[in-house]
Amino acid sequence: MSAAKLLRTKIFPHTMLILFSVLFLFPFVWLVFTSLKSSTEIFELPPRIIPEAFQWSNYKAALETVPFGRYMLNTVIICVVCIIGQLFASPLVAYSISRIPWAGSKVIFAIVLATMILPSQVQLIPQYIIFAKLGWINTILPLTIGAFFGAPFYIFLLRQFLLGIPRELSEAAKMDGASEFRIYSQIILPTLKPALATVALFTFVGAYTDFMGPLIYLNDAAKWTLTLGLQGFQQDHGAQWEKLMAASTIMAIPMILLYFFGQKYYMQSGSAFTGFK
Amino acid sequence: MRDSVSGKTSLRRKGWTRKEWHYFWLGLIFASPWIIGFLIFTVYPFFSSLYFSLTEYDLFNPPRWVGMDNYKAIMKDHNFYKSISNTLFMAFISVPVTLFSSLLIAMLLNFKVKGINYYRTIFYLPAVIPGVASALLWTWMLNPDFGLVNIFLRWAGLPDPAWLLDPQFTKPSLILMGLWGSGAGALIFLAALQGVPQTYYEAAEVDGANWWYRFWKITVPALSPIILFQLIMGLIGAFQIFTESYILAGGKAGGGNSLGGPAQSLLFYAVNLYQEAFINLKMGYASALAWILFIIVMLITLLVLKTSKRWVYYGGE
């Protein structure tokens, strides 16, 4: 291999990848190490990157200062209900627009895509008024009910997958006289499992990280989610960076674990867009 | 009996066979969750927010019709102009910068070298951190005295700005945060890059085309539909920036004027709207703001779509 080619195909890529990796990883390292420093050590200059002694007590202190356990439970309940809703509605709609030859399928798909570019703020206030009139403020209903009607992004994602499933698979069953619902639930849904896992994962992430929704609809501190709890923690203990970073780490850990275990699903969502014409 | 016969003739008139009707009803039933949701949570709110925008409404007293007063008041509102200019800054500077960075990262991840999967994991990781947690982390990273960024800048002998305290640097701070999360966009670009036929590059190389030429003549055109998609989603996202600003500016629920950060440099459109609606309880006024937002976003999207005809290539099909 010539020197020039070695530089181009090996040395340059590796150098750049390592450089960017360091840039991307350093904030994490800083987050975790700050969370393990003592309250005086965080203000030391020049800073010690690795703490002198790991202060695991910061985590205990953070968990005891605010009821993170309760926030976690509230968050998980919202996430699970949203997943159930999305897994019920989104595949049904995606099936309708991709595999049932009916007059409305193109119209529905066009409107689904169009709503993706509609700023949610336009609907926000009337929705709030509806939920307020129904007496749903301070309940999880405003944050979860929408999931039972499907979401444009997931409908689009599932449609991309459905288009890839060969027609013959359902044709044969149709010949045998199976109803559309039977074909949907017994043939299509099982083949759609990886895509449904992607939808479940993204729904979880969306509900877990949502801030504005809970901020608007949950006033009572006992009903708060993790995002609100963390923000409240910052309000009351803003100067205690080591505890704040411990709390942030706690909040980030489930997302990082989900990412490591669900990597292939993230990749799938990326590739779904390449079929977007 | 007569009914069924007349029913049949009416079908004939429309020219639909039994089978077509069968599929029509099936399609409608399968799509019904979304159709119902669309009517309740999109169509109805859409038009009722138009109505509310013409009223004065504080949630407790019935809406009072005021005609165009809200819109007239907005035209004189300092916060409106401040939030528009802040938001446009993010849309026209942060969005392209982040897009470019995503593309760059995707190209790096497209190298066929050992351990590329590890790099993929690392570059995407920041994108999975919840917005609140990453905003808090960056508040600490950008602390003027003890933050890692300034410690590094001082060490390198560069000026160290007071990031989140200096109105000139608050938006660049947000851009920096955005760059850290640009692995999400990179993932979409990467999938598209892998679909570009390698033979194009090989042919260009044989012709002696340099890297820059190949980037502009092969990579960018091949990715242009995805660039367009990400650009539009990014622009719409820029108009909805909320959490980062709320956390970085240390917004207090019910705390009146504390939103918006130093010299209101982080008062974005969605933040201003939230403040008017849920802190000041001016639902009518906020609805008018929402409608103006809708019109601005529509105009920008249409403009981008229209100009995109010149630079987006849908190869083959």
Side-chain angles (χ1 to χ4, degrees), chain A residues 24-272:
Chain A
F24 273 70
L25 275 180
F26 229 87
F28 281 111
V29 175
W30 193 240
L31 167 73
V32 175
F33 282 152
T34 306
S35 76
L36 292 168
K37 286 178 180 176
S38 71
S39 55
T40 50
E41 204 180 6
I42 54 166
F43 296 122
E44 250 172 49
L45 283 174
R48 203 193 300 269
I49 291 181
I50 301 170
E52 197 169 20
F54 288 180
Q55 308 287 327
W56 293 105
S57 58
N58 289 340
Y59 282 81
K60 199 163 163 273
L63 288 171
E64 278 168 1
T65 327
V66 267
F68 270 110
R70 170 176 287 239
Y71 298 155
M72 181 63 98
L73 182 69
N74 294 341
T75 309
V76 168
I77 292 171
I78 292 173
C79 289
V80 169
V81 177
C82 285
I83 290 174
I84 294 170
Q86 289 295 356
L87 289 186
F88 157 74
S90 292
L92 270 176
V93 183
Y95 187 85
S96 167
I97 58 176
S98 60
R99 294 185 80 91
I100 298 179
W102 69 293
S105 65
K106 285 205 175 80
V107 183
I108 300 282
F109 183 53
I111 304 174
V112 166
L113 284 186
T115 55
M116 275 172 110
I117 62 168
L118 202 65
S120 59
Q121 272 77 9
V122 184
Q123 294 116 276
L124 186 69
I125 291 162
Q127 279 177 10
Y128 181 86
I129 294 167
I130 298 173
F131 292 135
K133 281 191 176 147
L134 289 168
W136 288 1
I137 305 299
N138 256 327
T139 71
I140 67 163
L141 285 164
L143 303 169
T144 52
I145 193 92
F148 288 84
F149 301 96
F153 175 65
Y154 305 132
I155 293 171
F156 172 70
L157 193 82
L158 291 168
R159 170 191 175 265
Q160 301 295 94
F161 276 93
L162 281 165
L163 291 177
I165 299 175
R167 291 251 162 221
E168 292 77 35
L169 206 63
S170 36
E171 295 297 325
K174 214 170 276 179
M175 292 291 186
D176 295 341
S179 74
E180 203 74 37
F181 286 99
R182 213 182 143 90
I183 295 170
Y184 169 75
S185 59
Q186 301 200 334
I187 298 173
I188 299 300
L189 275 189
T191 26
L192 215 53
K193 259 184 204 156
L196 294 174
T198 311
V199 170
L201 178 74
F202 275 82
T203 306
F204 188 90
V205 173
Y208 186 90
T209 57
D210 186 20
F211 178 67
M212 199 185 195
L215 179 70
I216 290 171
Y217 290 113
L218 306 173
N219 307 317
D220 180 358
K223 302 270 171 62
W224 277 3
T225 59
L226 276 173
T227 49
L228 283 186
L230 194 58
Q231 200 264 337
F233 192 92
Q234 181 215 13
Q235 292 300 310
D236 300 338
H237 311 277
Q240 298 168 294
W241 286 103
E242 73 288 354
K243 284 186 205 156
L244 201 56
M245 291 301 108
S248 301
T249 309
I250 295 169
M251 165 129 208
I253 285 171
M255 289 295 102
I256 294 172
L257 288 179
L258 262 186
Y259 176 56
F260 278 112
F261 291 114
Q263 276 203 55
K264 64 172 179 175
Y265 302 120
Y266 281 95
M267 299 296 156
Q268 276 172 351
S269 78
S271 51

Side-chain angles (χ1 to χ4, degrees), chain B residues 221-288:
Chain B
L223 295 193
S224 56
I226 303 294
I227 296 175
L228 174 67
F229 173 75
Q230 298 231 64
L231 180 65
I232 289 178
M233 295 319 270
L235 287 174
I236 294 163
F239 275 90
Q240 315 208 28
I241 299 172
F242 180 78
T243 306
E244 296 85 348
S245 161
Y246 194 94
I247 302 288
L248 293 183
K252 288 181 174 62
N257 284 329
S258 65
L259 295 180
Q264 297 197 310
S265 55
L266 291 177
L267 186 73
F268 296 111
Y269 205 99
V271 177
N272 187 36
L273 199 151
Y274 169 85
Q275 183 164 265
E276 294 293 0
F278 299 102
I279 295 177
N280 303 338
L281 293 181
K282 289 159 78 178
M283 292 292 172
Y285 191 81
S287 296

